[in-house]
Amino acid sequence: MTPQCITHPELGEQYLVATHNSGLKIYICEKKNFSGCYAVFGTKYGSIDNAFRTKGQAEYTVVPEGIAHFLEHKLFESEDGDAFSRYAKTGASANAYTSFDRTCYLFSCSDHFEESFEILLDFVQHPYFTKETVEKEQGIISQEISMYDDSPDWMVLFNALEGLYHNNPVRINIAGTAETIAKIDADLLYQCYNTFYNLQNMFIVVTGNVDAQKVLSMCDRYLLDTAPIEVTTMPYEEPKQIVRAYTELAMPVSIPQFIWGIKLDADGYLPLKDRTEISMLLSVLVGQQSPLYHQLLNEGLINKDFGASLFDGRNYACIMFSGESKDPQLVVNRLQQAIIQLQKDGIADDEFQLIRRQFYGRYMMAFNNVEGIGDALTDCACDGSGLFDEAEIIQEATRTDLEHQLKTLFDFNRSTLSVIKPTT
Amino acid sequence: MHLTTNRQQLAAEITGLDIRTDKFKTKRISLSFVLPLNETDASLASILAKLLSRSTAAYPDPVALHRKLLSLYGAHFAAGVIKVGDYQLLNMSITSLADRFALQKEPLSEECTEFLCQALFRPHMKDGSFLPQDFDICQRLLIESIESTINDKRKYAISQMYKTMCKNEPFGVELGGTIETASQITSEQVVSYWENMLKTAPVVITVVGEDSPAPIYETIVKEFENIGRNPTSIHPRFQFQKPASVTVKEETMQLAQGKLVMGFRSDISSTQQDNLSFRMMCDIFGGAPYSKLFTVVREKMSLCYYCAARIQSQKGFICVDSGVDSSNIDAAKEGILTQLASMQAGDFDRAVIEACKMSMADSAKGVTDTPSSIEAWYLNRLFDHNLVSPEEFIEKVAAITKDDLVQAAQNVVLDTVYVLKGQEGSQ
């Protein structure tokens, strides 16, 4: 494989991108002055990929909710044992996660990188599912689901997603429910694995104190020669309008927790330019330097947990304002008023320049961290962006760009308020 | 440039910790004050941290203060309180881009040092008092923060266990104090607390960056000299308190999943080599995927999603916490105690000892990869007689034997069991 080297001289950073014969992309950022390394072997398969067919199949298969996450748990096991017992011999710290649009298997280590990398490449490519191991895992994952059921952060988010989306599978709980995971068996796991854990659909990211050529030659040696599989996800109609404007759930919390979500249109991933501009705009509106933030704080309507962010991925995007408040609806009313006022007044130039300076600084500071760079490259692998694209976007962003976003983003009729209120 | 660490005494009870490296894009400056811990002082320290980070004499309006931080390329500025054994540390820090990345070659390090000094030594006050609006807001935020501990059920359960187990020890005091103490303190008390802190508390000034911290040390030490300090010394001594019996506390709540938290005490004064055998024993018991709690209680018994053991090294505590169906709590407790007994009987092999050594060595090597992990390494060892670097730690880990680990396990006794069960019908 001949890697392409992408550099950013002002930042003093560079990384390599190579493409394996299978179509799998490999991203490597050497940071030789750090002690540790971070490696990710991921697939662009997550909880939203719940209905699909492969080329030649007439019908779509709809799989039980939570299966991508279940598969992630099971992949660590093999006929001889499990991957954790192998990592125990190398000292690496290993983990995995399933998100809406991806599943990633990863490790961090400061030594024995090659041994650990070999383990990663091996166990992810060699599934082993049996009736007995599936049944055993149901007990463990049921407890994980119960843990999430008790988490106000988790519940306020999924209630917001269910309020926003009719059919978009982002509304599906990543872990599923006790009822849905009871339907999972070894055959279904193999079917999902064989469909989505196809190297063309996967990626590798390695950052830190590594030798890029060594990483590439290990990939050449250990990546299997598999033919690409063409997968189509089942199309669905997602109306522009939301499902409902308000959802409330009582849980043992101290004060109400809320998310006010505003639905955006998304076909694939939002372009990085839009994502960056929206993030900058949200900083203008409710960043800690904003008068609005301190008005709400001074009036006792929010606390330090309050924030705004873009929640987005493959085929979904929404803006979320979240926090704790004794009166979430009043916070929403004030936010709406502030947005309307900002649309009238426009963004002051000195404000814009300050935000841009902040974004430049924060972007640079993120390169302090080997894992942070690895996670950023994982995003690049999924959405097709480049690691340094954001630097350029920040530099070239204009106040007009943000004001354009300001005028087009906020359709209050496409918003929902999700509240977790204290149990009485 | 390799990373070097140098600790020096700058003045009486003012220590400088210089972590010199060019691998980061940032410069981090922090001050940590060592303070006694009791409920009232916990509230005072937390409110003080909020007040000092809200506004300064130079930036009396929080909007202006945050705009200044944005102008410093989005520098991260924070003040907060952590626990180290029976003490609390009030920490104030600023992390900015390293000077070499400033677009107009601004002296960021100098500006950030000045900003930090403003926040600490010249907060926003009028006639020697914090402004009522500022105080009221910070008091409200603290009270809401204390009330919100119930939101995260795992953390809540652990906190309840420690409150029960350590009801007569400072460690049992929650950071921030109680709702009562937080509600009752006055602005005048916070001013006195602040003045006393500056004058008497031992301080550690930590700088992580590529340049000599001498100018930063000089600026800050001069501020302290202007105040005129009369510092106290803090040298805590470990004292083992063997529990007379096991305390059990149970609560119920509307929950899908129960929580079991078990607190153990260990006589670490008898442990050799800087408590390493205690740390390693706990790792094999329940700290890693190769541990007994993970492989047996979670994987084999299939009872829980998590069942983990964590140490509190200054106090010699082990906390085992587990999320488990309320109907299985007794089985989980039995499973955990069985695994501890097997540790005490030496029922663990060479392979798992080697796994633990490799894992600990690997983690220690990675400590120098972020500014915050380096700082945490040294602050958590604040009271250690011999300050051990990550490199020295790795050498000592390699020397630990199975006998050391068995002895460490045999020193462990159960003190408290806390159970949080779901109410009938909520599971």
Side-chain angles (χ1 to χ4, degrees):
Chain A
M1 280 179 275
T2 309
Q4 183 193 2
C5 182
I6 300 156
T7 65
H8 194 298
E10 292 83 10
L11 206 62
E13 300 285 346
Q14 66 179 45
Y15 68 104
L16 304 176
V17 186
T19 306
H20 184 254
N21 291 339
S22 61
L24 174 146
K25 277 206 157 79
I26 303 160
Y27 299 76
I28 306 169
C29 181
E30 285 183 340
K31 301 283 282 176
K32 300 264 189 166
N33 55 350
F34 281 72
S35 303
C37 2
Y38 179 67
V40 181
F41 192 2
T43 172
K44 298 173 203 174
Y45 165 56
S47 61
I48 63 176
D49 300 298
N50 66 319
F52 55 87
R53 70 181 179 199
T54 55
K55 190 176 177 181
Q57 288 181 332
E59 300 296 322
Y60 288 99
T61 302
V62 179
V63 289
E65 296 176 5
I67 194 168
H69 171 250
F70 202 107
L71 201 166
E72 175 231 301
H73 270 239
K74 291 326 301 168
L75 203 55
F76 279 89
E77 277 185 49
S78 71
E79 209 162 354
D80 313 318
D82 69 72
F84 285 118
S85 56
R86 295 173 69 185
Y87 280 124
K89 296 186 179 122
T90 68
S93 171
N95 212 330
Y97 64 86
T98 305
S99 184
F100 298 96
D101 60 356
R102 68 194 70 167
T103 307
C104 292
Y105 303 84
L106 50 98
F107 70 84
S108 307
C109 68
S110 301
D111 221 337
H112 306 290
F113 168 78
E114 289 169 34
E115 294 93 318
S116 298
F117 193 50
E118 186 186 332
I119 295 169
L120 180 67
L121 296 177
D122 179 53
F123 86 82
V124 173
Q125 294 186 95
H126 293 101
Y128 175 73
F129 314 126
T130 68
K131 182 169 179 293
E132 291 72 29
T133 63
V134 168
E135 277 172 9
K136 185 213 68 163
E137 201 66 39
Q138 267 154 358
I140 294 171
I141 293 184
S142 291
Q143 284 308 307
E144 188 177 354
I145 291 169
S146 294
M147 187 180 77
Y148 295 141
D149 286 345
D150 288 332
S151 166
D153 291 346
W154 185 269
M155 295 307 296
V156 76
L157 171 65
F158 278 94
N159 284 352
L161 293 173
E162 286 179 17
L164 288 172
Y165 295 100
H166 295 263
N167 301 308
N168 189 317
V170 72
R171 71 195 307 277
I172 295 170
N173 198 314
I174 296 172
T177 66
E179 292 72 31
T180 63
I181 67 166
K183 297 175 194 161
I184 295 172
D185 60 29
D187 288 340
L188 274 173
L189 289 174
Y190 275 117
Q191 184 179 5
C192 289
Y193 180 89
N194 292 332
T195 305
F196 291 103
Y197 282 69
N198 177 269
L199 291 183
Q200 191 190 39
N201 194 44
M202 299 177 73
F203 53 89
I204 287 170
V205 168
V206 180
T207 60
N209 191 0
V210 292
D211 181 283
Q213 283 310 319
K214 190 75 206 173
V215 171
L216 291 172
S217 70
M218 286 186 76
C219 289
D220 263 331
R221 191 154 104 214
Y222 292 108
L223 288 175
L224 300 173
D225 216 350
T226 51
I229 291 177
E230 208 176 298
V231 184
T232 315
T233 47
M234 191 165 79
Y236 55 85
E237 273 297 316
E238 180 58 43
K240 267 183 124 47
Q241 69 267 28
I242 55 163
V243 176
R244 55 182 174 269
Y246 184 76
T247 310
E248 189 180 89
L249 176 67
M251 292 180 77
V253 294
S254 55
I255 70 172
Q257 260 182 255
F258 71 92
I259 287 179
W260 181 48
I262 304 172
K263 194 170 177 177
L264 306 177
D265 297 323
D267 181 11
Y269 287 92
L270 279 192
L272 184 60
K273 184 175 184 297
D274 285 319
R275 282 152 42 201
T276 308
E277 287 167 5
I278 292 169
S279 297
M280 292 173 80
L281 176 62
L282 292 176
S283 277
V284 169
L285 184 64
V286 291
Q288 287 192 39
Q289 86 300 331
S290 70
L292 175 63
Y293 177 91
H294 290 283
Q295 281 159 17
L296 295 174
L297 192 73
N298 294 351
E299 290 172 41
L301 285 173
I302 61 170
N303 58 31
K304 292 290 183 179
D305 282 349
F306 179 74
S309 61
L310 178 64
F311 177 89
D312 73 302
R314 184 170 15 110
N315 298 320
Y316 63 89
C318 50
I319 290 172
M320 288 189 175
F321 296 87
S322 62
E324 296 178 343
S325 178
K326 58 189 183 193
D327 193 340
Q329 186 59 63
L330 185 52
V331 174
V332 171
N333 295 347
R334 297 290 298 278
L335 288 169
Q336 290 179 344
Q337 286 163 14
I339 290 166
I340 291 167
Q341 195 61 47
L342 191 63
Q343 287 169 336
K344 284 194 188 122
D345 298 341
I347 300 169
D349 190 60
D350 61 341
E351 187 75 13
F352 168 73
Q353 296 300 342
L354 274 180
I355 295 295
R356 188 158 63 162
R357 204 165 163 99
Q358 176 201 29
F359 269 65
Y360 164 76
R362 295 285 171 100
Y363 172 79
M364 299 278 279
M365 289 193 237
F367 282 87
N368 260 9
N369 186 314
V370 157
E371 291 186 14
I373 299 171
D375 290 340
L377 283 171
T378 299
D379 286 342
C380 294
C382 290
D383 67 26
S385 63
L387 188 62
F388 305 135
D389 293 356
E390 191 177 337
E392 207 175 303
I393 289 168
I394 293 167
Q395 200 171 351
E396 293 178 2
T398 66
R399 186 164 56 98
T400 312
D401 292 328
L402 266 61
E403 286 178 343
H404 174 73
Q405 297 286 359
L406 177 59
K407 287 186 168 49
T408 55
L409 276 181
F410 298 102
D411 183 348
F412 302 150
N413 293 322
R414 297 179 78 199
S415 69
T416 194
L417 177 61
S418 165
V419 176
I420 304 295
K421 65 173 192 179
T423 322
T424 45
Chain B
M1 177 200 280
H2 183 59
L3 186 144
T4 59
T5 310
N6 179 36
R7 191 163 73 156
Q8 65 182 105
Q9 210 62 27
L10 301 174
E13 297 300 333
I14 301 181
T15 306
L17 185 58
D18 166 18
I19 297 163
R20 199 87 61 91
T21 177
D22 65 355
K23 71 172 157 186
F24 301 127
K25 290 190 164 32
T26 55
K27 166 76 66 75
R28 177 178 168 91
I29 308 165
S30 69
L31 279 87
S32 306
F33 294 84
V34 186
L35 298 160
L37 180 57
N38 56 64
E39 283 178 352
T40 301
D41 281 13
S43 292
L44 285 166
S46 287
I47 292 193
L48 177 62
K50 290 182 191 324
L51 280 163
L52 294 180
S53 55
R54 177 174 163 81
S55 54
T56 68
Y59 299 101
D61 172 11
V63 171
L65 182 134
H66 285 281
R67 287 173 72 86
K68 175 62 182 175
L69 289 170
L70 258 58
S71 78
L72 296 172
Y73 296 95
H76 291 281
F77 168 61
V81 190
I82 62 170
K83 231 189 272 194
V84 179
D86 284 329
Y87 292 85
Q88 56 180 343
L89 259 61
L90 190 152
N91 180 274
M92 184 176 260
S93 68
I94 187 163
T95 303
S96 66
L97 278 185
D99 282 13
R100 69 185 188 277
F101 292 109
L103 292 172
Q104 282 90 42
K105 304 296 173 212
E106 305 95 305
L108 290 178
S109 180
E110 200 180 301
E111 289 205 53
C112 286
T113 307
E114 176 54 29
F115 184 94
L116 206 56
C117 288
Q118 286 279 341
L120 184 57
F121 296 102
R122 287 173 286 287
H124 182 212
M125 287 175 142
K126 192 177 174 190
D127 302 326
S129 297
F130 291 107
L131 273 70
Q133 188 191 30
D134 289 339
F135 178 80
D136 290 345
I137 286 165
C138 292
Q139 189 174 43
R140 169 184 74 89
L141 291 176
L142 175 59
I143 291 169
E144 283 186 12
S145 168
I146 296 168
E147 287 172 337
S148 76
T149 49
I150 203 168
N151 295 352
D152 182 328
K153 304 299 181 281
R154 183 175 185 178
K155 281 188 190 165
Y156 172 78
I158 291 172
S159 135
Q160 289 295 88
M161 186 284 289
Y162 273 129
K163 261 195 213 169
T164 308
M165 180 162 147
C166 302
K167 59 182 182 293
N168 298 319
E169 296 164 68
F171 186 80
V173 171
E174 284 292 296
L175 289 174
T178 64
I179 293 171
E180 290 69 36
T181 55
S183 308
Q184 282 161 16
I185 64 172
T186 65
S187 176
E188 291 73 30
Q189 284 175 307
V190 180
V191 173
S192 296
Y193 188 77
W194 166 68
E195 288 171 343
N196 196 53
M197 179 184 84
L198 292 180
K199 284 193 173 132
T200 66
V203 187
V204 179
I205 306 169
T206 307
V207 180
V208 183
E210 62 181 333
D211 304 315
S212 164
I216 297 169
Y217 287 163
E218 196 183 316
T219 304
I220 297 174
V221 169
K222 203 166 174 181
E223 295 275 4
F224 280 114
E225 281 169 359
N226 291 343
I227 289 171
R229 278 174 47 93
N230 182 21
T232 53
S233 289
I234 291 178
H235 299 290
R237 269 190 332 114
F238 172 77
Q239 206 170 4
F240 177 61
Q241 296 175 44
K242 186 172 177 173
S245 59
V246 176
T247 305
V248 179
K249 182 173 168 135
E250 203 169 292
E251 283 188 86
T252 57
M253 209 181 274
Q254 179 197 326
L255 285 181
Q257 182 188 61
K259 306 291 185 204
L260 167 66
V261 187
M262 298 168 75
F264 298 83
R265 289 184 188 265
S266 176
D267 185 0
I268 55 173
S269 59
S270 64
T271 309
Q272 303 296 316
Q273 302 193 56
D274 301 305
N275 300 333
L276 276 182
S277 52
F278 175 61
R279 286 178 188 273
M280 290 173 64
M281 178 276 298
C282 186
D283 188 61
I284 295 169
F285 173 45
Y290 46 74
S291 71
K292 287 182 174 284
L293 294 185
F294 188 94
T295 55
V296 177
V297 181
R298 174 181 141 139
E299 291 291 306
K300 280 204 183 110
M301 294 171 76
S302 200
L303 282 181
C304 42
Y305 172 59
Y306 66 89
C307 181
R310 299 278 176 265
I311 62 162
Q312 209 302 320
S313 58
Q314 292 87 7
K315 298 288 291 181
F317 293 160
I318 294 177
C319 170
V320 174
D321 84 306
S322 177
V324 57
D325 195 276
S326 294
S327 62
N328 288 328
I329 281 178
D330 287 339
K333 188 172 122 188
E334 197 58 44
I336 290 163
L337 290 173
T338 301
Q339 295 316 306
L340 176 61
S342 80
M343 288 291 301
Q344 292 166 335
D347 182 19
F348 52 96
D349 60 20
R350 193 175 150 180
V352 78
I353 297 173
E354 285 310 308
C356 174
K357 288 185 177 183
M358 291 205 71
S359 168
M360 294 207 136
D362 200 276
S363 283
K365 281 181 197 162
V367 160
T368 56
D369 274 357
T370 69
S372 53
S373 60
I374 302 169
E375 188 176 333
W377 176 275
Y378 288 105
L379 285 183
N380 280 327
R381 287 162 174 78
L382 200 60
F383 302 130
D384 289 4
H385 294 296
N386 303 309
L387 186 60
V388 173
S389 69
E391 293 78 15
E392 288 163 331
F393 177 88
I394 292 165
E395 283 172 19
K396 288 171 183 275
V397 158
I400 297 290
T401 65
K402 182 169 179 176
D403 286 344
D404 293 330
L405 299 172
V406 171
Q407 190 195 352
Q410 289 172 349
N411 281 336
V412 174
V413 293
L414 178 62
D415 185 299
T416 299
V417 177
Y418 172 82
V419 170
L420 180 59
K421 276 188 175 167
Q423 285 161 350
E424 285 292 319
S426 63
Q427 292 183 278

